[in-house]
Amino acid sequence: MGKITYKRLKGSQNMRQRLLLATLKSTPVLIEDIHADDTLPGLRPHEISLLRLFEKLTDDCLIEINETGTKLKYKPGIIVGGSHLVHDCGVSRAIGYFLEPLILLGLFARKTLVIILKGITNDSKDPSVDTFLSTTFPLLKRFGVPSEGLKLEIKSRGVSPHGGGEVHLTIPTVQHLTATMWTDEGMVKRIRGEAFTTRVSVQLGNEMIYAARGIFNRLLPDVYIASDYRKRSEAGNSPGYGISLVAETTSGCCISADTTVSYPRGDEEEDIEGEEKKELIPAADVGEKLASVLLEEIEKGGVVDSTHQGLLFLLCALCPKDVSKVRVGKLSPYGIETLREIRDFLDVQFVIKPDPSTGTVILKCWGSGMKNLSRKTT
């Protein structure tokens, strides 16, 4: 066996994209100075959990971490996928943090991926599992992913700080993605969404729905926001509530926004004499604020919202050697960092052309020619 040549990287930024692209391209990486200047240096619990998840999906993967956790050697294995897999995502980041790389690895796996993920289903930092259902899955279909094989079932919800949620995910394999020419945003024709509550009154869900509808109904008639009231074992381990919204356009674009309100870590158990538990944001304010956030996302323009820019660029870059052309609103920091990692790992560069008339940006690239060489045809 020959000596392994590692791609040398520094710092903790873009850890998720780096590990994902390294796995897809079978590029061994050596990452140093991980959170080296922080009070607690080294890999974070969610980053270690992500590595362990990749380990479960691949064969012959090699992971070496030094004692302080500031240095990582990662040699990717063959992406196998498989069924009957279970992964506990922990409670430092939500399941949404793991879903984006997991979906892309599943598409290029040897076998259909069927996995149970446990942890936090909804929080204010990562996209919720509802957003993946309403917005991410339709985005994948644009690139030739068969809709009948995509499944995400929310068995139980879990919010911060103690999680307790569980989702069942199925991702089909593809031989290759399909390049897309997608620049028509269309006009918003309807608003859909879902408000949920866990271990709190169902009335809070109704208040969020009423407040959000109060804004949207002045703009268009077709607005429907469902309610999902969870209790007992389906409500996870912490009280909370939240709402996810999606604007569907006449050209098939889905623009989403979501948020969750729950007690910060430690507040549930606070029992200091003379101090009361912090009040959560009123549910009506949550619904009204998120409706405004969604309107801002729509105003930015583009075929996806700012949260999905990174995934959109990754899908374009992973297409066969053909041209993809997409329109987005103002480039988000996550989108910009993803473009840099795509250039470094896949050697794919996007042509970026601002459109002053609309304030949007048109990006065009030639796909990397990614193929699923290990996919079973039986």
Side-chain angles (χ1 to χ4, degrees), residues 9-13 15 18 30-38 41-43 66 68-72:
L9 303 165
K10 283 199 171 189
S12 57
Q13 66 272 24
M15 179 71 73
R18 287 175 169 180
L30 171 60
I31 307 176
E32 299 177 286
D33 298 335
I34 301 170
H35 300 290
D37 297 327
D38 293 5
L43 287 160
N66 70 348
T68 58
T70 56
K71 184 176 178 180
L72 165 68

Side-chain angles (χ1 to χ4, degrees), residues 211-263:
R213 284 183 63 97
I215 290 178
F216 292 133
N217 280 141
R218 287 177 283 178
L219 304 171
L220 74 167
D222 193 351
V223 179
Y224 177 71
I225 305 170
S227 60
D228 183 16
Y229 174 50
R230 299 283 176 131
K231 55 185 180 179
R232 300 189 179 90
S233 61
E234 291 187 355
N237 302 324
S238 298
Y241 47 90
I243 183 170
S244 68
L245 299 170
V246 57
E248 300 176 19
T249 76
T250 51
S251 63
C253 301
C254 294
I255 309 298
S256 63
D258 65 65
T259 191
T260 298
V261 177
S262 62
Y263 292 104

Side-chain angles (χ1 to χ4, degrees), residues 142 184-190 247-254:
R142 282 271 177 180
D184 180 16
E185 306 143 296
M187 301 290 288
V188 175
K189 62 178 180 179
R190 59 174 169 245
E248 300 176 19
T249 76
T250 51
S251 63
C253 301
C254 294

Side-chain angles (χ1 to χ4, degrees), residues 48-106:
I48 295 172
S49 181
L50 184 67
L51 281 165
R52 297 306 173 207
L53 176 59
F54 282 18
E55 197 174 32
K56 289 176 183 176
L57 299 181
T58 59
D59 188 26
D60 198 28
C61 165
L62 177 66
I63 298 171
E64 290 182 15
I65 304 169
N66 70 348
E67 287 183 5
T68 58
T70 56
K71 184 176 178 180
L72 165 68
K73 268 187 177 183
Y74 174 61
K75 185 185 82 65
I78 299 166
I79 309 168
V80 177
S83 53
H84 308 299
L85 298 173
V86 181
H87 184 72
D88 190 336
C89 298
V91 292
S92 63
R93 290 293 289 265
I95 290 171
Y97 171 85
F98 301 84
L99 278 176
E100 185 179 298
L102 190 58
I103 287 169
L104 290 172
L105 289 183

Side-chain angles (χ1 to χ4, degrees), residues 54-198:
F54 282 18
E55 197 174 32
K56 289 176 183 176
L57 299 181
T58 59
D59 188 26
D60 198 28
C61 165
L62 177 66
I63 298 171
E64 290 182 15
I65 304 169
N66 70 348
E67 287 183 5
T68 58
T70 56
K71 184 176 178 180
L72 165 68
K73 268 187 177 183
Y74 174 61
K75 185 185 82 65
I78 299 166
I79 309 168
V80 177
S83 53
H84 308 299
L85 298 173
V86 181
H87 184 72
D88 190 336
C89 298
V91 292
S92 63
R93 290 293 289 265
I95 290 171
Y97 171 85
F98 301 84
L99 278 176
E100 185 179 298
L102 190 58
I103 287 169
L104 290 172
L105 289 183
L107 293 175
F108 292 98
R110 183 179 292 174
K111 296 180 283 187
T112 298
L113 175 64
V114 182
I115 187 169
I116 296 171
L117 299 169
K118 299 181 179 182
I120 294 171
T121 57
N122 302 78
D123 77 348
S124 56
K125 190 169 187 177
D126 298 299
S128 70
V129 291
D130 304 277
T131 294
F132 276 88
L133 270 170
S134 67
T135 307
T136 311
F137 281 7
L139 169 59
L140 294 174
K141 294 169 194 173
R142 282 271 177 180
F143 290 86
V145 179
S147 57
E148 60 272 11
L150 284 169
K151 290 181 186 173
L152 181 62
E153 297 177 81
I154 306 169
K155 295 296 184 181
S156 61
R157 290 192 183 269
V159 300
S160 182
H162 302 304
E166 180 177 310
V167 299
H168 293 201
L169 175 70
T170 304
I171 301 294
T173 62
V174 293
Q175 194 70 47
H176 55 76
L177 297 174
T178 304
T180 187
M181 304 294 278
W182 192 18
T183 56
D184 180 16
E185 306 143 296
M187 301 290 288
V188 175
K189 62 178 180 179
R190 59 174 169 245
I191 302 287
R192 294 291 181 264
E194 186 159 58
F196 78 90
T197 55
T198 60

Side-chain angles (χ1 to χ4, degrees), residues 14 17 306 309 330-340:
N14 312 321
Q17 294 104 310
S306 51
Q309 282 185 16
K330 182 182 176 182
L331 285 170
S332 66
Y334 175 58
I336 293 168
E337 293 298 332
T338 303
L339 287 173
R340 287 176 180 153

